[in-house]
Amino acid sequence: MVIGAGQMGAGIAQVFAQTGFEVKLNDIAEQSLEKGIATIEKNLSRSVKKERITEQEKSDTINNLTTTTNIEDAKDRDLVIEAVVENMDVKTKVFSQLDEITPEHTILASNTSSLPITEIAAVTNRPEKVIGMHFMNPVPVMKLVEIIRGLATSDETYKTIEDATKSLNKTPVEVNDFPGFVSNRVLMPMINEAIYTVYEGVATPESVDEVMKLGMNHPMGPLTLADFIGLDTCLYIMEVLYEGFGDSKYRPCPLLRKYVKAGWLGRKTGRGFYVYDN
């Protein structure tokens, strides 16, 4: 089961269903489930058009998916992956419920991009079976999955999730449980520093992105990427890093805070460091 039918949750459900897993996609809102399934169908249709998969494979994937608004339907699952909002209170509530509902053997995984797996695991009676599976966005395209061991995560749980990740044609990378793991601990300070260069008048967003694309061979500039991720998410992860390490190098740029307060969150709101149509 995948909990949360947003962009990440729908993507995770899709890659598991495409590989032959029987997947329940869960969300508290029926509308979110409908949107999630519509996104999956759109992705699959695009793949058929590009001849990456056949019409039969698309049909098989859809048949492997069911939707539910009832978390109690996790009672027969071997693996549950949580992909809800990046908020510790929400996540621990979900894990506490899942611990009560699911069989003893069930592995509970979180798609968190920065929150401590050890803290999430602590609200359950099975911390050895709690692990982080941090997929990258967009999930169907990106190969990396950071697998995060909590303090108590067992070797058996790690091996099971590593094998499952490989079966999805993804590349698992083992990471220990520290704020931001590897991906966001390296990426977010770079994005934050790019924002500081705009804040301090060193260069325009366009210039910063051009330097990083042409000079460092990045496929996308850091400010374009920040808009794609969502500036609210970037700010939240910077705050997790700042609080987790207590180091001033992780202090979020005041301009990032200002944009988030203004509701300029990037692509999803039509405005961030750039302006977007639709």
Side-chain angles (χ1 to χ4, degrees), residues 186-229:
V186 174
L187 173 66
M188 285 303 160
M190 182 189 75
I191 286 176
N192 198 47
E193 200 59 34
I195 297 169
Y196 264 113
T197 61
V198 175
Y199 176 60
E200 292 168 3
V202 177
T204 63
E206 290 83 359
S207 297
V208 172
D209 280 352
E210 203 72 356
V211 166
M212 296 306 288
K213 283 194 295 182
L214 300 182
M216 283 67 190
N217 205 25
H218 290 196
M220 186 187 291
L223 298 172
T224 302
L225 181 57
D227 275 357
F228 178 72
I229 293 167

Side-chain angles (χ1 to χ4, degrees), residues 1-6 8-17 21 23-27 71 74 77-84 91 94-95 98 102 106-112 129-135 139 145-146 161 164-165 168:
M1 179 183 270
V2 178
I3 311 279
M8 294 301 290
I12 295 166
Q14 178 186 323
V15 295
F16 271 96
F21 288 87
V23 183
K24 287 180 182 175
L25 181 58
N26 168 272
D27 200 287
I71 198 168
R77 300 291 93 179
D78 300 311
L79 169 63
V80 183
I81 302 170
E82 164 276 313
V84 301
K91 287 186 188 293
V94 168
F95 272 78
L98 290 170
T102 56
T106 302
I107 293 173
L108 306 179
S110 176
N111 180 52
T112 180
K129 292 192 179 296
V130 177
I131 197 164
M133 281 186 92
H134 180 211
F135 289 81
V139 179
V145 181
E146 274 185 310
I161 294 304
T165 302
L168 304 174

Side-chain angles (χ1 to χ4, degrees), residues 157-169:
T157 297
Y158 177 82
K159 183 75 172 71
T160 302
I161 294 304
E162 183 184 51
D163 290 345
T165 302
K166 286 177 180 173
S167 76
L168 304 174
N169 297 315

Side-chain angles (χ1 to χ4, degrees), residues 226-232 259-260 262-278:
D227 275 357
F228 178 72
I229 293 167
L231 300 189
D232 51 341
Y259 275 28
V260 171
W264 295 6
L265 307 182
R267 255 180 207 277
K268 60 187 172 187
T269 59
R271 178 157 198 174
F273 286 98
Y274 299 95
V275 177
Y276 302 89
D277 295 326
N278 302 324

Side-chain angles (χ1 to χ4, degrees), residues 44-55 58:
L44 293 171
S45 296
R46 194 183 296 130
S47 292
V48 170
K49 199 173 178 182
K50 291 182 176 178
E51 296 183 350
R52 288 182 186 140
I53 63 169
T54 64
E55 197 67 58
K58 175 190 168 183

Side-chain angles (χ1 to χ4, degrees), residues 34-48:
E34 288 168 10
K35 192 177 173 187
I37 293 295
T39 301
I40 292 169
E41 288 180 338
K42 185 179 169 187
N43 289 343
L44 293 171
S45 296
R46 194 183 296 130
S47 292
V48 170

